[in-house]
């Protein structure tokens, strides 16, 4: 198999795993330059190492499907309770950081899911998850403050690339099948159609933040003084 073919297969796999990394609020990057994966996506998401997405080693079985479905059912139940019982909507709200209670619950539950799929007994604490979310929000804020920009075309290009990866009908590993099932459940609990989900403001914001963080990393790595 030529190196070009191997790279194409690797990029497709990274697209699938990167998709879940963004949408489940799991950030992961190494010090590699971003991969150029689409002519319309001027900056790709950070290159993912072979070990980073925990589900890359998880099997697509009845047990893992049930775990995924139960997790998203739980998220949906809690988020409905937040809306219907008038609970305080914000976990943290400042000029730099806005984290809703629903977003925090989603991130905590999905991180616990990834740990469980990877058969790790120690789960992240709520404090650790919140600290990580604050760090990401401050990172995006800092990127904007120093003049880094992300265009709508860049965000749309990345979303389109990931959506095509989801629609790819080629052979898939067990972990990739599980990744797609996670995304099906992710879309299900939003109550949106697939088309509405891919064009939603929430999805746009998630990819925009990921690209901001990637550009900041590139900016830091390019600064010889640092």
């Amino acid at each position: 198999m030529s190196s070009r073919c191997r790279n194409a297969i690797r990029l497709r796999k990274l697209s699938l795993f990167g998709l879940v990394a963004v949408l489940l609020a799991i950030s992961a990057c190494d010090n590699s330059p971003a991969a150029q994966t689409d002519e319309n996506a001027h900056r790709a998401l950070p290159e993912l190492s072979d070990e980073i997405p925990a589900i890359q080693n998880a099997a697509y079985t009845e047990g893992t499907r049930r775990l995924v479905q139960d997790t998203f059912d739980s998220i949906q139940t809690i988020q409905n309770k937040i809306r219907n019982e008038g609970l305080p909507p914000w976990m943290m709200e400042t000029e730099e950081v806005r984290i809703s209670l629903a977003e925090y619950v989603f991130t905590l539950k999905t991180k616990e899911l990834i740990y469980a799929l990877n058969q790790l007994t120690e789960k992240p604490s709520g404090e650790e998850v919140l600290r990580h979310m604050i760090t990401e929000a401050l990172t995006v804020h800092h990127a904007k403050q120093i003049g880094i920009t992300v265009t709508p075309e860049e965000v749309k290009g990345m979303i389109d690339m990931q959506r095509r990866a989801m629609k790819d009908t080629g052979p898939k590993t067990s972990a990739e099948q599980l990744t797609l099932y996670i995304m099906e459940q992710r879309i299900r609990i939003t109550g949106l159609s697939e088309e509405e989900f891919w064009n939603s403001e929430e999805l746009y914001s998630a990819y925009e933040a990921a690209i901001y963080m990637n550009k900041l990393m590139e900016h830091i790595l390019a600064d010889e003084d640092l």
Side-chain angles (χ1 to χ4, degrees):
M1 182 183 293
S2 70
S3 59
R4 182 176 181 180
C5 290
R6 285 194 297 269
N7 288 337
I9 292 173
R10 175 169 168 75
L11 290 176
R12 179 176 67 79
K13 291 182 178 180
L14 289 178
S15 295
L16 286 173
F17 292 123
L19 175 64
V20 172
V22 173
L23 298 185
L24 301 191
I26 301 165
S27 296
C29 63
D30 58 21
N31 292 332
S32 305
Q36 190 70 22
T37 55
D38 190 279
E39 62 182 1
N40 295 320
H42 302 300
R43 301 286 184 182
L45 294 178
E47 180 90 7
L48 303 179
S49 74
D50 290 338
E51 296 77 25
I52 290 296
I55 58 170
Q56 193 161 350
N57 297 317
Y60 183 60
T61 66
E62 181 62 35
T64 55
R65 288 198 301 272
R66 173 54 60 184
L67 177 60
V68 170
Q69 183 175 339
D70 287 349
T71 296
F72 282 96
D73 285 345
S74 174
I75 292 171
Q76 188 176 39
T77 297
I78 297 172
Q79 290 184 339
N80 286 339
K81 185 175 182 180
I82 292 171
R83 286 191 294 268
N84 297 333
E85 297 188 8
L87 298 178
W90 296 105
M91 194 74 181
M92 176 170 290
E93 185 180 21
T94 70
E95 182 179 349
E96 297 87 2
V97 179
R98 289 168 61 89
I99 299 173
S100 71
L101 180 56
E103 180 186 6
Y104 167 75
V105 168
F106 178 85
T107 304
L108 177 62
K109 287 289 186 181
T110 51
K111 281 185 180 292
E112 290 177 348
L113 170 64
I114 296 303
Y115 272 62
L117 291 174
N118 204 36
Q119 299 181 354
L120 298 174
T121 55
E122 184 178 354
K123 297 180 180 180
S125 68
E127 181 181 351
E128 290 170 336
V129 170
L130 181 59
R131 186 185 304 118
H132 180 74
M133 295 177 72
I134 293 171
T135 300
E136 287 195 340
L138 289 174
T139 300
V140 172
H141 177 76
H142 177 67
K144 294 177 181 179
Q145 290 295 104
I146 65 173
I148 291 174
T149 60
V150 173
T151 67
E153 290 75 21
E154 287 177 296
V155 179
K156 185 178 184 302
M158 183 57 64
I159 291 174
D160 288 346
M161 183 190 71
Q162 302 288 19
R163 190 174 185 181
R164 288 197 298 273
M166 289 277 293
K167 295 295 185 182
D168 182 10
T169 58
K172 293 179 177 60
T173 66
S174 182
E176 287 176 324
Q177 293 179 60
L178 183 58
T179 298
L180 295 176
Y181 185 71
I182 289 173
M183 281 308 306
E184 290 174 7
Q185 298 303 306
R186 169 73 176 97
I187 295 173
R188 174 180 65 83
I189 68 167
T190 66
L192 302 174
S193 68
E194 187 174 332
E195 188 66 27
E196 289 171 334
F197 174 79
W198 286 106
N199 290 285
S200 66
E201 182 178 343
E202 179 185 11
L203 185 71
Y204 183 96
S205 296
Y207 275 99
E208 183 182 47
I211 297 173
Y212 266 117
M213 287 188 286
N214 185 61
K215 284 192 171 186
L216 179 60
M217 176 63 73
E218 289 183 333
H219 173 78
I220 292 171
L221 293 176
D223 191 333
E224 294 182 358
D225 293 335
L226 294 176

